[in-house]
Amino acid sequence: MPRITLEQACANAATGSAEGRPYYDYLVVGAGFAGSVLAERLAAGLGKRVLLVDRRDHVGGNAYDHLDEAGVMVHRYGPHIFHTNAQRIVDYLSRFTEWRPYEHRVLAQVRDQLVPIPINLTTLNTLYGLDMDEAGAQAFLAERAEPVEPLRTSEDVVVSQVGRELYELFFRGYTRKQWGRDPSELDRSVTARVPTRTNTDDRYFADTFQIMPLHGYTQMFERMLDHPGIDILLSTDFAQVNQQIDRGHLVYCGPVDEYFGFQLGRLPYRSLRFEHKTLAQEQFQPVSVVNYPSEDVPYTRITEYKHLTGQQHTHTSLTYEFPSNEGDPYYPVPAPENAALYQQYKALADATPGVTFLGRLGTYKYYNMDQVVGQALALYQRLEAEHGEADAGAQTYASA
Ligand code: FAD
Ligand code: UDP
């Protein structure tokens, strides 16, 4: 994958525009999953010339991983665990990586004990000193659950399943820290990501495929982007190239409100401050992620990467996550007023020819990695179909 400078991009690109400026078929902004998958497809599938730009100094977006100073593989932007039910997404990514099986398990520190989250039979028995079976756990929760109709908020979802005490122990504080607002002010979809179980299944996800790229995400991205049709321009903001590079089409995977100069107001994004640490010991905690739901602790969770990667090392590296309103935009905030503002930006986006918005920031959706890959592949299919129609049109014209 040719990594180039802006000067090289200008020199490399065919001069196709009327003004004689450098020209690419596609300018793709953002080298995360959205932009990288689309760039790969456009170059390898349609033979297009693509310039992929990112303001960061690396590809991979938030999934970027690397060896830290001690040589431990870490994720710069917090733990990224791949899980999906979609065979076609696994098939697509498998062109660029081998995998290692990994089933994610998380413990929560509650009342000075480490117990499984999602709440399951073991969680209940440990927390309450009981010895229930599955039917007992169902009855236990049914007794505590408070019916809520309709289920609207993130509080409603949990309280209606497990009752107020477990809601407060596991969800209220964590959510208030993570989002800077109460679960009663967040769409139900947020806490609905975490199931409740009455059996002993302690896996965080129930998806068919639970796998990690064998040599890490970054290597997978490097292979994905290793195509002569793709030029990569890092440490460069879209604003720096916008006026200099002409393109047939722009695909923008950054924040949609930023693209439009915040003209309708700011879409709220939640950020995180990551504190990375390396310890001279082999292991720090029993699983890769331990959640801290209490508001007395300022961070939400600690990740120990060796559990995710399977790496053997004398040292171990950790990341503490401190939620914040300042910093890079990581999470769109699912709430009715934000969805309404996004719809206004979407109307603006739909009315802007020559630009397509994609990805978690471009479409303001709390998407997992596999969903972003699915979204990029779906966009590619539409472009491919249009391309086919354009070709057919050109042939008709040529033969006329
Ligand atoms: P991003 O990865 O954010 O990429 C967008 C890129 O665009 C960035 O690199 C940015 O620098 C660049 N950019 C933006 N604006 C500009 C501009 N103006 N000019 C140039 N470049 C620009 N998903 C899972 O499936 N499993 C997980 O376990 C998981 N854990 C997560 C943990 C954390 C802490 C976070 C924040 C997210 C997690 N996710 C997880 C979600 C996952 O990160 C996203 O689904 C995925 O990375 C989104 O890809 P994307 O390409 O849309 O966006
Ligand atoms: N959550 C919580 N306590 C937990 C785990 C999750 O309250 O121990 C809530 C919290 O609001 C979080 C949401 O459930 O943002 C979704 O959790 P998930 O692990 O899916 O979030 P991710 O880290 O993947 O964004």
Side-chain angles (χ1 to χ4, degrees), residues 35-358:
S36 296
V37 167
L38 194 75
E40 187 281 333
R41 287 290 70 222
L42 290 169
L46 289 181
K48 297 294 182 188
R49 292 272 295 133
V50 181
L51 180 63
L52 179 61
V53 178
D54 203 298
R55 53 164 66 131
R56 290 173 170 162
D57 63 359
H58 58 75
V59 297
N62 288 338
Y64 175 70
D65 55 16
H66 67 111
L67 295 180
D68 66 11
E69 280 179 13
V72 180
M73 175 73 99
V74 298
H75 298 182
R76 178 167 294 172
Y77 307 98
H80 277 71
I81 294 107
F82 189 81
H83 56 101
T84 188
N85 287 314
Q87 177 78 59
R88 73 186 181 95
I89 288 171
V90 175
D91 289 345
Y92 171 71
L93 294 176
S94 298
R95 298 180 194 177
F96 315 109
T97 186
E98 296 160 78
W99 301 95
R100 83 179 280 268
Y102 169 75
E103 289 186 324
H104 193 43
R105 288 184 168 76
V106 178
L107 296 172
Q109 168 115 44
V110 171
R111 291 186 175 154
D112 291 328
Q113 299 192 80
L114 287 182
V115 293
I117 172 89
I119 292 170
N120 72 358
L121 180 58
T122 314
T123 315
L124 298 175
N125 280 336
T126 311
L127 212 53
Y128 294 99
L130 298 170
D131 187 24
M132 296 182 287
D133 59 8
E134 188 163 356
Q138 279 166 5
F140 181 96
L141 292 181
E143 229 171 72
R144 284 159 180 77
E146 293 176 16
V148 185
E149 200 48 63
L151 289 180
R152 226 174 16 84
T153 71
S154 270
E155 175 180 312
D156 298 342
V157 170
V158 183
V159 168
S160 68
Q161 285 179 42
V162 301
R164 201 151 288 277
E165 183 177 55
L166 288 164
Y167 160 72
E168 283 176 5
L169 283 177
F170 286 88
F171 286 90
R172 185 162 181 270
Y174 189 104
T175 301
R176 287 168 64 93
K177 287 194 288 186
Q178 173 73 10
W179 297 96
R181 51 165 82 195
D182 196 78
S184 60
E185 301 162 342
L186 274 174
D187 278 359
R188 52 178 284 179
S189 58
V190 176
T191 52
R193 288 164 63 92
V194 184
T196 304
R197 304 199 183 105
T198 48
N199 59 18
T200 54
D201 183 356
D202 61 350
R203 296 170 311 158
Y204 204 73
F205 305 113
D207 301 52
T208 316
F209 303 97
Q210 304 190 31
I211 45 184
M212 294 286 285
L214 186 60
H215 303 292
Y217 290 98
T218 302
Q219 197 199 80
M220 180 178 79
F221 278 95
E222 301 272 352
R223 288 170 71 176
M224 188 183 288
L225 296 171
D226 184 13
H227 191 284
I230 304 175
D231 284 343
I232 297 177
L233 186 54
L234 296 175
S235 308
T236 306
D237 198 285
F238 168 62
Q240 294 168 257
V241 295
N242 187 21
Q243 301 301 328
Q244 301 205 44
I245 307 272
D246 283 339
R247 61 270 177 170
H249 198 85
L250 170 66
V251 178
Y252 192 83
C253 309
V256 58
D257 56 337
E258 185 182 328
Y259 177 87
F260 288 109
F262 308 107
Q263 60 180 272
L264 303 171
R266 281 184 182 262
L267 280 167
Y269 296 89
R270 191 68 170 157
S271 190
L272 294 168
R273 180 172 63 81
F274 300 103
E275 221 172 274
H276 302 288
K277 256 188 202 170
T278 300
L279 304 177
Q281 63 195 59
E282 281 201 19
Q283 192 181 310
F284 172 74
Q285 60 190 30
V287 289
S288 53
V289 173
V290 175
N291 286 355
Y292 291 83
S294 164
E295 284 185 274
D296 296 340
V297 178
Y299 43 85
T300 48
R301 58 185 180 185
I302 303 178
T303 298
E304 183 175 23
Y305 293 100
K306 284 165 72 183
H307 298 282
L308 298 178
T309 59
Q311 186 179 8
Q312 302 292 316
H313 200 288
T314 52
H315 288 48
T316 193
S317 295
L318 316 172
T319 299
Y320 292 65
E321 290 174 44
F322 297 84
S324 160
N325 272 340
E326 312 300 317
D328 283 357
Y330 291 127
Y331 293 90
V333 182
E337 69 280 13
N338 302 342
L341 181 55
Y342 170 65
Q343 283 311 320
Q344 291 182 35
Y345 273 111
K346 184 169 182 306
L348 206 53
D350 291 344
T352 307
V355 192
T356 304
F357 294 84
L358 192 65

Side-chain angles (χ1 to χ4, degrees), residues 361-389:
L361 305 173
T363 59
Y364 201 67
K365 299 271 182 326
Y366 186 8
Y367 274 160
N368 294 325
M369 294 181 283
D370 64 319
Q371 294 171 302
V372 172
V373 174
Q375 192 192 34
L377 292 178
L379 171 59
Y380 172 70
Q381 271 181 343
R382 285 209 305 281
L383 296 172
E384 193 184 28
E386 282 169 21
H387 191 253
E389 281 162 22

